[in-house]
Amino acid sequence: CEGFERKSQQIFDDSSFGSVLHQLCQDDNNTFGHRNAVPVDCNQGVAVNGWSQGSHVSALAGNFSPLVTAGLFWANGNSCKACTFFSPSM
């Protein structure tokens, strides 16, 4: 699952500049220009969703951000049994 973990961290690590969660939740300077189009309050929690490989990647999101509080995973099969959803806040 190392590849899935790397992809998940690149997307969901809110402390990593440029990750999706950083852009939505931590970009106070509006570097990426999303604030006007996508007003969000990540302190209320972030839900993740994924299909197929995306379900494995998003299932690992809680490992990289305590902001992730819910997930919905579709068509993930069982090829990555070692990859489990983990969130310290849950």
Side-chain angles (χ1 to χ4, degrees), residues 11-51:
I11 297 167
F12 298 110
D13 185 351
D14 61 283
S15 67
S16 178
F17 184 81
S19 74
V20 173
L21 279 189
H22 180 272
Q23 291 179 45
L24 292 175
C25 304
Q26 308 293 338
D27 183 22
D28 294 331
N29 295 324
N30 200 23
T31 305
F32 298 95
H34 73 280
R35 288 280 185 212
N36 297 331
V38 186
V40 296
D41 182 358
C42 295
N43 293 316
Q44 293 195 23
V46 174
V48 297
N49 182 28
W51 176 271

Side-chain angles (χ1 to χ4, degrees), residues 30-79:
N30 200 23
T31 305
F32 298 95
H34 73 280
R35 288 280 185 212
N36 297 331
V38 186
V40 296
D41 182 358
C42 295
N43 293 316
Q44 293 195 23
V46 174
V48 297
N49 182 28
W51 176 271
S52 192
Q53 184 182 116
S55 66
H56 295 296
V57 172
S58 60
L60 295 167
N63 292 332
F64 304 105
S65 175
L67 298 171
V68 177
T69 56
L72 179 63
F73 316 112
W74 297 92
N76 59 331
N78 62 2
S79 63

